[in-house]
Amino acid sequence: MIPTTPPPGSFPRANKALPSAFGTRVKIVPAATIPPESIKWIWRHWIAAGKFHMLAGQAGAGKTGTAVNIASTISRGDSGGQWPDGTAAPSGNVVFWTCEDGVADTIIPRFIAAGANMSRLFVLTGTEENGRQRAFNPAKDLERLMQRVLEIGNVSLIIIDPILQVVSGDSHKNAEVRRALEPLVAFSEEHGIAILGITHVNKRSKGKDLLDRITGSLAYTAMSRIVILAVKGTNTEGNDARNSSVLVRAKSNLGPIEGGFTYQVEPYQFESYGEQFETSVLVWNPIQLEGAPEAILRDVERNGGDYIESTNALAAARSFLENLLAKGGLPYPSIVDVASRQNPAISVASLKRAKTELGLFTFKKPAKPPYQACHYWYLSNVLDDQDPSLLKCMQNSPMEVRSFFDPPITPTLNGNFWGGSVPISQSPVFTAPHAPYASVEPHEPVAPRDNELYLVNALELAVKEAQRAFSSRKQDADVPMEDLIFEIEEDVTENLLDDATLLAELRRRLRAQQWWALLPPLIR
């Protein structure tokens, strides 16, 4: 039978309610029926009731100390508790859940040092099941925790240190993180209780977008209404050498993100039950910071902190390279090996920063059997024809210039680049940052190379090297997978390109390849 068009009126009208299956239907209400609600602030523009927050920072920045200070301020809200901006804190109970610090020997002394009202602070210590004590399991005990919070009553804030412990699965997978956090977020909104999750920042994340610095899946920051960053700096004014840190907002869906605060973590002693205790206390600077968080962190990272190489270490690396390379270039692995034996305090990062400051020349020659690849670092003032390591490298196979994209230099001095014993840095054909080729007859200048072509070639090599490095590594249980992938990508691309713009594009393409996806899991 040929189907025919149903007669008019046989379909239900669009505005006619359809019968719902088993009494279930999607609920859509007019916006006019929903009254507006104002944000209920615990700390204006920093902590909001019924919202999920994140506090991230590197080791030593005082993340837990900041959380302890916030909890202590809330606990004494009705007896003079004040925020660093001078506003009064509302009183309430606080639940503290930590698995990184000892409760009795670390958290409790810090609460006492911060002047907390101890009767309003509650610490999660585990789960009691059938008369036996066991560790708290978020996958099984989260509902019990919520029920216990409601039994305590008047809870203003729940602190979770670290927030990663809530996720029983892979903390780098968006779907698993969202699934784990959704019950907490829903509970927070329903009962007007703020949640503050504490986490770390990625290694070598200086200069990145603020949210990209935070460890784990992007779902953590996506579900957070406010993300706070604690960054450690150094106070060097006068004779005051105390560590000074800053607190800024990397994200806020509820208010401004400009401005911030500085604070110091200072030693503190007190006596209790006849015993002397030593702990630390967070002291706020009453002067507030102004400006965008990116500008504030740039200033901090320029003048001190874990993100910045210390002046002494960088100076030591500079001196080491100047002395080691005074008579000629050396392969990069040899430089690292000698540095580790002569001065273990000189890190690879220090060497690379010193290389940039000294303006070293880097020559990379691809491997060509039976010769091994030559990858040398040179001081520009000793780069001449008397350098035996350079001559040996050039005799083995053609040399590439330090950047894939620099056009070759046309020789004009007697058919070569040296002109007898005259150092190349003094010759009229020297144009930094170019390097010499093997001796050739004079020829017309060659057109600049195609950047896109060499990006494609460099990407192919980087993928192979990254997969090889990944397969040969054992994963440290304390190092997140995202950190390991980032470290490998930086290492394999570090010496492929010297043009900063092209290097950034190469790393972007390498990450987009997801080169690790098809490899077997690492052995822990």
Side-chain angles (χ1 to χ4, degrees), residues 378-438:
Y378 284 87
L379 291 170
S380 60
N381 61 343
V382 296
L383 187 60
D384 56 34
D385 58 337
Q386 302 301 318
D387 191 337
S389 57
L390 174 60
L391 292 177
K392 181 179 178 181
C393 184
M394 296 187 66
Q395 289 166 1
N396 288 343
S397 70
M399 175 70 72
E400 291 288 343
V401 293
R402 71 199 242 353
S403 170
F404 283 119
F405 309 104
D406 290 334
I409 306 169
T410 306
T412 59
L413 293 181
N414 301 323
N416 58 56
F417 283 97
W418 296 288
S421 60
V422 179
I424 189 172
S425 58
Q426 300 174 15
S427 74
V429 297
F430 176 76
T431 306
H434 297 292
Y437 281 111

Side-chain angles (χ1 to χ4, degrees), residues 37-52:
E37 295 181 358
S38 61
I39 301 294
K40 295 178 176 60
W41 292 104
I42 297 175
W43 178 9
R44 184 169 177 79
H45 296 155
W46 290 85
I47 305 290
K51 305 298 179 183
F52 180 68

Side-chain angles (χ1 to χ4, degrees), residues 107-402:
I107 300 300
I108 297 301
R110 289 186 182 182
F111 279 144
I112 295 173
N117 181 345
M118 302 297 285
S119 65
R120 287 183 172 171
L121 299 177
F122 298 82
V123 181
L124 174 62
T125 59
T127 301
E128 188 176 287
E129 187 174 42
N130 298 325
R132 300 182 63 180
Q133 187 84 4
R134 63 170 174 82
F136 182 85
N137 183 347
K140 296 172 56 178
D141 302 331
L142 198 56
E143 289 189 9
R144 295 186 180 97
L145 170 63
M146 297 176 185
Q147 182 60 38
R148 183 72 183 98
V149 167
L150 296 180
E151 291 174 359
I152 293 171
N154 194 30
V155 173
S156 299
L157 176 66
I158 300 174
I159 297 173
I160 304 174
D161 182 13
I163 190 63
L164 274 67
Q165 64 186 316
V166 174
V167 182
S168 56
D170 190 339
S171 63
H172 289 80
K173 291 185 177 179
N174 289 343
E176 294 192 21
V177 171
R178 284 184 176 276
R179 187 161 47 247
L181 293 181
E182 279 172 357
L184 270 177
V185 173
F187 175 79
S188 169
E189 292 178 349
E190 181 180 357
H191 298 284
I193 300 173
I195 295 179
L196 178 64
I198 301 176
T199 189
H200 300 277
V201 295
N202 296 316
K203 297 178 181 178
R204 291 190 281 184
S205 57
K206 173 193 170 186
K208 284 191 169 185
D209 181 84
L210 300 188
L211 295 181
D212 289 341
R213 301 183 181 199
I214 297 174
T215 298
S217 161
L218 293 176
Y220 287 108
T221 56
M223 298 188 73
S224 303
R225 299 302 86 196
I226 298 177
V227 178
I228 304 170
L229 275 181
V231 179
K232 184 170 65 176
T234 302
N235 185 353
T236 57
E237 296 181 4
N239 296 320
D240 189 358
R242 297 176 302 173
N243 283 336
S244 177
S245 302
V246 300
L247 203 69
V248 296
R249 287 160 294 204
K251 166 190 171 179
S252 177
N253 294 105
L254 308 176
I257 63 172
E258 291 77 16
F261 298 92
T262 61
Y263 60 90
Q264 288 82 38
V265 178
E266 298 184 343
Y268 186 87
Q269 295 183 352
F270 67 91
E271 185 175 332
S272 180
Y273 298 101
E275 186 176 356
Q276 195 74 17
F277 291 88
E278 294 183 354
T279 183
S280 61
V281 64
L282 188 142
V283 179
W284 295 101
N285 187 329
I287 301 176
Q288 298 186 40
L289 300 175
E290 296 181 354
E294 294 85 358
I296 294 173
L297 293 194
R298 274 198 303 270
D299 183 62
V300 173
E301 293 171 350
R302 186 185 306 117
N303 294 300
D306 279 355
Y307 288 122
I308 297 301
E309 189 73 28
S310 71
T311 304
N312 291 339
L314 186 56
R318 283 174 55 100
S319 177
F320 168 79
L321 289 176
E322 288 174 329
N323 294 330
L324 184 68
L325 305 179
K327 295 182 179 180
L330 286 174
Y332 167 69
S334 299
I335 294 173
V336 175
D337 179 61
V338 174
S340 65
R341 287 187 282 107
Q342 288 189 5
N343 189 348
I346 298 178
S347 65
V348 173
S350 301
L351 289 173
K352 291 180 178 179
R353 291 187 179 97
K355 168 197 166 191
T356 301
E357 287 204 358
L358 291 171
L360 297 188
F361 285 92
T362 303
F363 295 93
K364 182 174 183 180
K365 178 186 71 63
K368 186 176 182 180
Y371 305 108
Q372 294 183 349
C374 291
H375 187 181
Y376 286 82
W377 286 13
Y378 284 87
L379 291 170
S380 60
N381 61 343
V382 296
L383 187 60
D384 56 34
D385 58 337
Q386 302 301 318
D387 191 337
S389 57
L390 174 60
L391 292 177
K392 181 179 178 181
C393 184
M394 296 187 66
Q395 289 166 1
N396 288 343
S397 70
M399 175 70 72
E400 291 288 343
V401 293
R402 71 199 242 353

